[in-house]
Amino acid sequence: MYTMTRLSIMMFLQFFVWGAWYTSIAVYMTAGGMGDLTHWPFTVNPIAAIAAPFFLGLVADRYFSTERVLGVLHVAGALVLLAVPQFSGAPVVFVLLLLLYNLCFMPTLGLANSLAFHNIGDQEKQFPMIRVFGTIGWIVAGLFVSYVLRYFVNDGSLPEQTPLPLYAAAVTSLILGLYSFTLPHTPAPAAGERVSTRSILGIDALKQLGSGPFYVFLGASLLICIPLAAYYNFTQLFLEATGFQNIAGTQTFGQMSEVIFMLLMPMFFIRLGVKWMLVAGMGAWVLRYVFFALAAPNEVFWMIIVGILLHGICYDFFFVTGQIYVDKKSTPEIRGQAQGMLVLVTYGLGMMIGAQAAGILFNTFLGDSGALTLGQWKQFWFVPAAFAAVVMVGFALLFSDRVDKARTKVGNDTTAAASDTG
């Protein structure tokens, strides 16, 4: 129980750091005259996600204990994050520092998970209880930014328009870095193993997992993440434009919904299965953007809130279901590679392409006006809605998990037979 508590605190702080700056950075940049560059933080984040497997595979997994690497990265990240606001008048340096920070932060997501898995006995039962504190950390971060930091702002600005969220994330990152050195010793998991770029990229895993349905799933995962990036980048600006005062706090409704739907997922799996869970997740993204578009002209409060609350279905039914699908198709030998490949495709390539595409779309509407009108926001949100709808329909028509179920059953039967003869 003591170890579970320590790991839960680690996960809470891990996602508090991320949530504190990620949900407010676009508002801060807009207030500082960088409104046409707000897509860049959401581009450097996936670039770092692409680089993270190389760092983990080539360095962290082979040469140093996990808790020490986690501590060093969070301390280094804190120092970089403290410097970011000092260069708000130099956009290029500002973005490059955010890139450097994300290169420190993104590997810690995998490190925190591997440290937790190594120090618990029952992953299926214990890890969700630890991981849910990460979602709680993100929620608390949003509420802290909107409702606590406002008391430190004296000029009438929103906390999200100030550097305070960045400083809060930096201080928490420093605390987490120091705390990490006290966590249970976790040796380098791949010490002594031969370095293989193929394994780091997941190519070996793809070769074993390869099937028609799996390629459809992987392609749809890449494509659906392109319109998804618009939500993470521009919802905070949309909330500001439609009169919301507690921007970061309002967005935490999505994480609250995520916790609820996470608990309901086992029931939906029984009723829907993998294919229709994934379709439902994609459909929720379409519906969310349609709600945003319809709400924009008249600032319809309830539509915007419902769109945010759909995050539980959007995230759990698509991302979590996809992770479970990949895990069920994987053997123990390639499980880590397979999950790393999925992260590379979704959080890496998909989100990177999506952030740039959303930025180009936003700047097209923006022109020289300085801000989108409510009518332009309506047009803006219908574009990712249409894109996501096309991907959803294509996936529903092309994907069949019947073949994969049969392959998985044969694989399990073969493994069981081998165990019986052993």
Side-chain angles (χ1 to χ4, degrees):
M1 186 64 184
Y2 177 62
T3 298
M4 286 277 291
T5 301
R6 295 172 70 193
L7 296 175
S8 298
I9 293 172
M10 172 195 72
M11 204 65 74
F12 176 91
L13 294 173
Q14 176 80 29
F15 282 85
F16 184 101
V17 171
W18 199 2
W21 75 268
Y22 199 71
T23 58
S24 60
I25 189 68
V27 176
Y28 173 61
M29 290 179 67
T30 300
M34 294 182 282
D36 59 338
L37 300 174
T38 59
H39 57 290
W40 277 104
F42 304 92
T43 300
V44 298
N45 186 261
I47 288 175
I50 294 172
F54 290 93
F55 176 81
L56 294 174
L58 294 174
V59 180
D61 282 354
R62 284 174 167 79
Y63 302 111
F64 304 100
S65 62
T66 303
E67 76 280 1
R68 291 182 179 178
V69 179
L70 188 67
V72 168
L73 287 176
H74 274 300
V75 170
L79 298 177
V80 175
L81 210 52
L82 285 171
V84 169
Q86 313 308 317
F87 293 91
S88 58
V92 174
V93 180
F94 184 91
V95 171
L96 288 176
L97 283 173
L98 283 177
L99 172 61
L100 180 59
Y101 169 72
N102 278 279
L103 288 171
C104 292
F105 178 80
M106 292 308 287
T108 66
L109 296 174
L111 289 168
N113 286 342
S114 62
L115 191 148
F117 279 127
H118 181 84
N119 291 286
I120 56 179
D122 190 334
Q123 283 86 349
E124 292 183 1
K125 290 183 179 180
Q126 293 177 289
F127 184 73
M129 298 300 296
I130 295 170
R131 175 58 183 81
V132 75
F133 278 91
T135 302
I136 294 171
W138 186 290
I139 293 171
V140 173
L143 297 176
F144 179 82
V145 168
S146 289
Y147 296 102
V148 177
L149 291 184
R150 65 163 57 180
Y151 293 106
F152 297 89
V153 180
N154 299 318
D155 61 357
S157 300
L158 298 176
E160 292 87 347
Q161 296 173 324
T162 74
L164 290 177
L166 286 166
Y167 289 139
V171 171
T172 307
S173 181
L174 180 61
I175 292 170
L176 176 54
L178 298 176
Y179 176 73
S180 297
F181 291 109
T182 72
L183 291 170
H185 176 62
T186 306
E193 293 185 12
R194 183 174 62 89
V195 176
S196 169
T197 303
R198 291 174 60 88
S199 65
I200 293 171
L201 288 174
I203 296 174
D204 292 334
L206 182 61
K207 185 176 180 181
Q208 292 189 44
L209 295 173
S211 67
F214 186 78
Y215 292 138
V216 170
F217 162 76
L218 209 59
S221 297
L222 171 65
L223 292 174
I224 198 67
C225 282
I226 295 174
L228 304 196
Y231 174 78
Y232 294 105
N233 190 164
F234 292 106
T235 297
Q236 42 194 291
L237 297 181
F238 177 58
L239 291 176
E240 184 181 34
T242 49
F244 282 80
Q245 295 296 307
N246 304 305
I247 296 170
T250 300
Q251 289 181 89
T252 63
F253 288 140
Q255 279 66 45
M256 296 176 193
S257 169
E258 182 185 327
V259 173
I260 294 171
F261 280 99
M262 186 79 73
L263 298 175
L264 295 176
M265 279 190 70
M267 179 186 70
F268 282 107
F269 260 117
I270 294 173
R271 293 182 177 273
L272 298 178
V274 168
K275 176 178 179 176
W276 296 110
M277 288 279 285
L278 290 167
V279 171
M282 295 178 187
W285 283 99
V286 178
L287 189 59
R288 158 183 275 170
Y289 289 145
V290 169
F291 270 125
F292 281 0
L294 295 178
N298 298 310
E299 303 179 15
V300 184
F301 176 84
W302 72 265
M303 280 191 174
I304 297 173
I305 295 298
V306 170
I308 293 172
L309 286 171
L310 281 169
H311 186 76
I313 301 176
C314 295
Y315 185 84
D316 293 341
F317 281 37
F318 176 71
F319 282 105
V320 178
T321 299
Q323 292 164 2
I324 293 173
Y325 171 68
V326 170
D327 185 73
K328 285 185 174 295
K329 281 181 59 65
S330 303
T331 61
E333 293 76 19
I334 63 166
R335 179 169 287 126
Q337 294 180 38
Q339 293 292 343
M341 175 182 61
L342 183 61
V343 170
L344 186 69
V345 168
T346 54
Y347 288 108
L349 294 174
M351 290 293 190
M352 180 179 68
I353 296 169
Q356 285 294 301
I360 293 170
L361 176 66
F362 179 80
N363 288 335
T364 299
F365 283 112
L366 186 65
D368 298 323
S369 63
L372 265 61
T373 65
L374 295 178
Q376 288 175 318
W377 276 115
K378 177 180 179 178
Q379 295 174 291
F380 174 85
W381 288 121
F382 270 133
V383 175
F387 194 110
V390 170
V391 177
M392 178 190 69
V393 172
F395 177 80
L397 293 174
L398 297 175
F399 181 81
S400 173
D401 57 348
R402 292 178 182 176
V403 176
D404 282 355
K405 285 179 180 177
R407 286 165 58 97
T408 301
K409 184 178 186 303
V410 170
N412 290 340
D413 290 346
T414 301
T415 301
S419 298
D420 291 341
T421 56

